[in-house]
Amino acid sequence: MHTLEIPNKGIRQEYASCLEELKPGEALFFVALYMKYLDKEIDGDEFRGELARVLLDIKVTKGYFYMLKRAEKDIKAEEWVENVNGNMVLIGYSLKSFFNHGDTEDTEPQPLKKGAITEQDDTGNTIPREPVEREQLKFDCIKQLVPRIGPFYGPGDALTDCSFWEYKEAHSAFVQFAETQDEKYLKKLVAILYRPKKKFLWLRKRLPNYDGQIRIKFSPKSNPLSLEKRIKKMKLCSYAQLYYVFLFFKACEEFLLHGRPTIDGKEINLSVLYEGAKGGTDDGIGLMGILFTLAETNVFGDIDKTADTGLYDVLSRLYQVTLQYKNINKPTKNDTDSEI
């Protein structure tokens, strides 16, 4: 967390320094700004200024506008306004922590190249200038920042409470939206991951066989009409809410590819599962193939039971099988000698 301190006014306030520290409302506002930034409607300074205003609940008062008007003729008012604006710049600068380090938006003019932007100086001469390099702003948070959207509840951090079937179906919708930008696939992704809570949950929690799942089950046997109804209800959501789910799922996919999740107390590197896969990820057909293959081994039971198995349980088994296969096919010293 960042800390804002103004001793002479007795102000000491903490505010988020990274995505993981955002509250649900702040996270959705961040996503709304994120989309504007991607569309180049705002630059980095505007992004940080708007985010600071929300994180610190800063309101522009009538007094500020009064002093701003007086600053045109009053030196003291001008100094007061400059001090306020300077403080906002400093606060905004602290929010560079939301951007990738080492990248800058302000670049020196470079020699003119094909496609470069040109400007004119005071005498009208053309000044060659490279297009401005924008800071890299990424959403890489696997913590669930928005656990609830309306009456629907979402998955846990890093999809840890998702079944393999749920992940497979969500992945398919995710890929379709990424490729087509068709909003119907985005709504489908959200409808798959965000579902109503189970009935009589208060009673279920008291039962010894309670599995900790708040959401109703989503499996091959789920009524497809229920999913369609949820998709239609997604029109009531803001685009920031919908797009948050896309960004969250994308971050989780990256985590599964490059991260090191802890399963049964052991940190494992799942990247070995994706070696040789185009773009580092598999498609829906590949995931379905995994489902059938695991069902044939009967490790988790038949295909329905395998589909209901937790995502990380399936990944853990695949990780185990992959390492076994790599060890079996590892060249031995005798194999190396024979080649010589």
Side-chain angles (χ1 to χ4, degrees):
M1 299 290 284
H2 290 308
T3 303
L4 172 66
E5 288 190 85
I6 307 178
N8 60 339
K9 292 186 177 293
I11 296 176
R12 188 179 190 280
Q13 186 175 348
E14 291 187 335
Y15 58 103
S17 62
C18 60
L19 290 166
E20 287 76 9
E21 295 170 351
L22 294 177
K23 299 173 184 177
E26 295 171 345
L28 292 176
F29 185 77
F30 177 93
V31 172
L33 287 179
Y34 183 94
M35 291 187 293
K36 287 184 177 181
Y37 187 78
L38 291 182
D39 292 337
K40 298 185 179 181
E41 294 180 20
I42 58 175
D43 60 20
D45 289 334
E46 290 171 315
F47 180 98
R48 288 185 286 269
E50 287 297 302
L51 185 61
R53 181 179 60 79
V54 169
L55 295 183
L56 289 165
D57 193 24
I58 297 173
K59 293 179 174 60
V60 182
T61 63
K62 292 180 179 179
Y64 175 81
F65 287 112
Y66 171 74
M67 294 297 285
L68 189 63
K69 188 174 182 179
R70 282 190 59 186
E72 299 175 3
K73 300 179 180 180
D74 189 333
I75 295 178
K76 289 186 177 181
E78 182 181 357
E79 291 176 349
W80 184 89
V81 171
E82 288 180 353
N83 183 54
V84 170
N85 292 341
N87 287 335
M88 285 300 299
V89 170
L90 290 175
I91 294 171
Y93 186 82
S94 72
L95 296 180
K96 278 182 173 285
S97 57
F98 283 88
F99 291 77
N100 280 354
H101 297 292
D103 295 303
T104 178
E105 202 171 46
D106 301 318
T107 57
E108 292 298 321
Q110 300 293 327
L112 183 62
K113 296 179 182 178
K114 185 177 181 180
I117 299 172
T118 61
E119 296 178 351
Q120 289 186 336
D121 60 19
D122 294 335
T123 61
N125 294 322
T126 299
I127 303 173
R129 191 175 185 85
E130 281 291 320
V132 175
E133 294 181 5
R134 289 167 62 81
E135 296 166 291
Q136 292 185 6
L137 175 64
K138 290 186 177 181
F139 191 103
D140 56 359
C141 181
I142 60 172
K143 178 183 176 182
Q144 175 59 279
L145 302 177
V146 186
R148 182 177 176 181
I149 297 178
F152 306 119
Y153 294 78
D157 299 347
L159 307 177
T160 48
D161 58 354
C162 284
S163 68
F164 184 73
W165 177 262
E166 181 181 355
Y167 170 73
K168 183 192 81 69
E169 292 295 289
H171 174 81
S172 177
F174 168 81
V175 171
Q176 287 176 305
F177 174 72
E179 292 178 347
T180 67
Q181 295 298 301
D182 191 328
E183 195 172 320
K184 69 180 181 182
Y185 297 118
L186 179 58
K187 291 178 179 178
K188 183 178 181 181
L189 171 66
V190 181
I192 290 170
L193 295 175
Y194 281 71
R195 306 190 295 275
K197 67 179 181 181
K198 296 176 179 177
K199 294 182 178 180
F200 306 109
L201 187 61
W202 63 272
L203 179 59
R204 292 173 184 268
K205 290 182 178 180
R206 298 174 181 270
L207 301 177
N209 61 344
Y210 175 60
D211 59 4
Q213 289 281 3
I214 295 177
R215 303 170 297 160
I216 61 172
K217 182 182 291 189
F218 182 75
S219 71
K221 293 183 178 180
S222 296
N223 189 339
L225 293 179
S226 297
L227 176 61
E228 290 299 323
K229 287 181 180 179
R230 285 202 303 279
I231 292 175
K232 291 179 180 179
K233 290 181 179 180
M234 292 304 156
K235 67 181 180 181
L236 300 176
C237 299
S238 68
Y239 195 78
Q241 289 175 314
L242 299 176
Y243 200 67
Y244 162 78
V245 181
F246 172 80
L247 293 175
F248 169 70
F249 191 84
K250 181 176 183 292
C252 292
E253 291 249 288
E254 289 293 324
F255 176 69
L256 293 177
L257 176 58
H258 301 293
R260 292 178 177 269
T262 300
I263 300 178
D264 294 331
K266 182 180 179 181
E267 186 182 83
I268 65 176
N269 181 7
L270 293 178
S271 64
V272 297
L273 302 179
Y274 301 91
E275 290 178 1
K278 184 179 180 181
T281 58
D282 207 344
D283 56 21
I285 297 175
L287 291 173
M288 196 66 191
I290 290 174
L291 181 60
F292 280 114
T293 300
L294 288 176
E296 289 174 0
T297 64
N298 207 36
V299 173
F300 302 112
D302 60 22
I303 191 168
D304 288 334
K305 290 183 179 179
T306 302
D308 286 339
T309 301
L311 169 62
Y312 281 80
D313 291 329
V314 171
L315 292 177
S316 179
R317 176 58 180 165
L318 290 176
Y319 176 78
Q320 181 184 34
V321 171
T322 300
L323 290 187
Q324 290 174 350
Y325 176 80
K326 290 172 73 72
N327 289 331
I328 292 173
N329 290 276
K330 184 183 297 183
T332 63
K333 187 178 183 298
N334 291 335
D335 292 335
T336 306
D337 293 339
S338 64
E339 290 178 3
I340 297 174

